[in-house]
Amino acid sequence: MSTAALALARCDELAALSSRPDAIERMHLTAEHARANALVAGWMEQAGLRPWQDAAGNQCGRREGTMPGLPALLLGSHLDTVPDAGRYDGPLGVVMALAVVERLRERELPFALEVVGFGDEEGARFGTALLGSRAFAGTWEEAWWDLSDRDGTTLREAFRDFGLDPARVGEAARRPEQLVGYLEAHIEQGPHLEAADASLGYVTTIAGARRFAITVLGEARHAGGTPYSRRRDALVGASEVVTTVERLARATGDHGCIATVGRVEVSPGAVNVVPGRVDLTLDLRAATDAARDAMWEMILAEAEASCAARGLALEAVETHHASAAPCAPWLQQAVVAGIAATGDADPMGLWSRAGHDAMAVAAVSDIAMLFVRCADGISHHPDEAVREVDVARGIDALEQAVLEVARTVAGRGAA
Ligand code: HGY
Ligand code: MN
Ligand code: MN
């Protein structure tokens, strides 16, 4: 079996670790997460890494460099998924990292090599994303302990159920001097590489993201007896908010802002009752934080005005905030060199519309990302697909990028 075929087979094995028989769903700190960590730990050992699970539930593995205790070059991605997910968003980066570690097994490197499978990049269970990589980066927030999932389980309870001690989450934090940098391979989750007929691309910056829980409050009334003049219909008002979001973001063009209402819940939700309350989510991103924040102000102003015109109240609570994360030029250059080594004479650079653990790790180390083409840009969907040839090129590029980093680090040491 080729290296790339093995990587894809491992993505299939991880895909089977799901809370649902008919779809891929692996939430943070669940039994499926624990099984995925155990499976990856076995692969880490096979690749010559010493595996351990850190105090935040991330699956880690390490092999030493020319001498014990050197700072580590970190490779990896995340093992959690969104509901009804594809099988490559996250896991592909972890298995590609393991493939590179296996290839470099006999190679002496001027740094330790670590692979991490972060436990919660999506934020799908508790709403706030990057919980694993933020613990790793030492940017954990105590307020998160009271976050709860749809069943009412708090993050604190989920930690304990997973066998972790909330009081020790700080032990997962790394210090800058322990790390050389972080290289993450990931599917693009967009159509740009395919449009350019490119297997691979390097990331220039990762979009900053903000997420909100928005509530539109009206008044539940009888669907038959209430004339329109007497209605304060929360769903009609929320519908105007949804179209306002798309209209304003779309007007900024392909390289501007991108905003999505992903979930709408209508109360009381009966066929014969005028909706009194609507809860919706907003996901807002842009290449720069300034553009993203300006868009939020525009959306909020128009949404509040359209709701007020209908006698509705609008409340917005921010549930997630991650700053845009530029890739470090020296590490990005190693990725460019890696892609060029695969025969691509003009590697394509692009900014990542999708969020990644690298944006959290950027708080503690330099970051760079390698993108792999995915079919039709589809992601966060079971039709997510990659070509084996692109994964093979991606593993080659990642291996060469690591060797480029080794040359750079060795050069610093010689300086
Ligand atoms: O939402 C994102 O951009 C990432 O896939 N979590
Ligand atoms: Mn994702
Ligand atoms: Mn991802």
Side-chain angles (χ1 to χ4, degrees):
M1 183 182 278
S2 74
T3 305
L6 174 62
L8 294 176
R10 286 178 164 179
C11 287
D12 292 341
E13 278 192 77
L14 282 166
L17 303 182
S18 171
S19 59
R20 293 165 53 179
D22 61 337
I24 299 171
E25 184 163 325
R26 188 166 55 249
M27 295 290 144
H28 187 39
L29 303 177
T30 58
E32 297 74 44
H33 176 188
R35 288 164 58 204
N37 278 3
L39 183 61
V40 170
W43 294 340
M44 287 177 165
E45 280 193 298
Q46 289 171 28
L49 298 174
R50 171 179 58 82
W52 76 97
Q53 180 179 278
D54 75 8
N58 300 309
Q59 183 58 47
C60 306
R62 179 184 170 100
R63 58 151 265 199
E64 296 304 327
T66 47
M67 66 182 77
L70 290 175
L73 177 64
L74 181 70
L75 310 176
S77 192
H78 60 95
L79 293 172
D80 66 309
T81 77
V82 293
D84 200 9
R87 63 190 61 220
Y88 302 111
D89 171 9
L92 183 66
V94 176
V95 299
M96 285 176 67
L98 289 169
V100 169
V101 168
E102 187 76 61
R103 281 206 180 152
L104 297 176
R105 194 175 190 134
E106 304 309 322
R107 191 75 174 249
E108 284 226 322
L109 297 169
F111 41 70
L113 208 45
E114 289 194 19
V115 173
V116 62
F118 287 116
D120 177 68
E121 188 275 335
E122 303 290 359
R125 183 176 179 188
F126 295 102
T128 286
L130 308 170
L131 290 175
S133 40
R134 281 178 156 165
F136 181 96
T139 55
W140 186 268
E141 296 180 19
E142 287 300 304
W144 294 341
W145 291 122
D146 297 320
L147 291 171
S148 58
D149 65 12
R150 296 169 81 87
D151 300 327
T153 303
T154 66
L155 178 58
R156 180 183 291 105
E157 290 162 342
F159 248 63
R160 291 189 180 122
D161 295 346
F162 199 71
L164 298 170
D165 177 356
R168 299 181 60 180
V169 69
E171 294 174 15
R174 300 299 185 86
R175 299 185 310 278
E177 62 273 20
Q178 293 175 300
L179 296 166
V180 167
Y182 175 56
L183 280 181
E184 180 170 0
H186 202 289
I187 53 171
E188 178 201 344
Q189 299 179 298
H192 300 88
L193 289 177
E194 187 165 73
D197 192 23
S199 275
L200 308 171
Y202 64 91
V203 173
T204 55
T205 189
I206 305 169
R210 293 177 73 179
R211 295 179 187 174
F212 297 88
I214 296 174
T215 302
V216 175
L217 289 168
E219 187 181 39
R221 283 285 189 100
H222 193 289
T226 311
Y228 285 111
S229 60
R230 305 284 297 272
R231 291 185 179 203
R232 291 192 294 124
D233 186 328
L235 181 53
V236 176
S239 306
E240 287 183 335
V241 171
V242 173
T243 53
T244 295
V245 164
E246 194 211 37
R247 173 172 47 81
L248 292 176
R250 198 164 189 163
T252 63
D254 267 356
H255 294 277
C257 299
I258 198 149
T260 310
V261 174
R263 189 166 70 225
V264 176
E265 291 174 346
V266 183
S267 307
V271 64
N272 57 352
V273 180
V274 175
R277 173 186 173 123
V278 172
D279 290 287
L280 39 89
T281 61
L282 174 64
D283 175 303
L284 172 59
R285 313 154 189 237
T288 66
D289 292 352
R292 177 203 61 195
D293 296 345
M295 176 51 65
W296 167 239
E297 294 307 322
M298 284 172 61
I299 288 171
L300 183 61
E302 281 217 25
E304 284 177 333
S306 63
C307 284
R310 289 178 175 275
L312 303 170
L314 181 137
E315 296 167 0
V317 175
E318 185 168 44
T319 57
H320 175 62
H321 186 128
S323 297
C327 292
W330 78 275
L331 208 49
Q332 179 183 304
Q333 194 47 44
V335 175
V336 173
I339 297 172
T342 66
D344 181 341
D346 183 22
M348 178 175 168
L350 59 167
W351 66 273
S352 174
R353 282 83 173 159
H356 299 285
D357 288 302
M359 60 204 307
V361 177
V364 73
S365 190
D366 285 344
I367 64 165
M369 288 194 72
L370 170 70
F371 268 177
V372 179
R373 168 169 50 189
C374 58
D376 196 23
I378 295 171
S379 184
H380 285 188
H381 187 280
D383 289 350
E384 212 172 74
V386 290
R387 301 179 196 178
E388 185 175 329
V389 63
D390 290 341
V391 173
R393 288 176 185 151
I395 292 168
D396 292 346
L398 191 59
E399 177 189 11
Q400 291 306 316
V402 171
L403 293 175
E404 181 70 15
V405 172
R407 283 187 286 274
T408 304
V409 169
R412 287 176 189 163

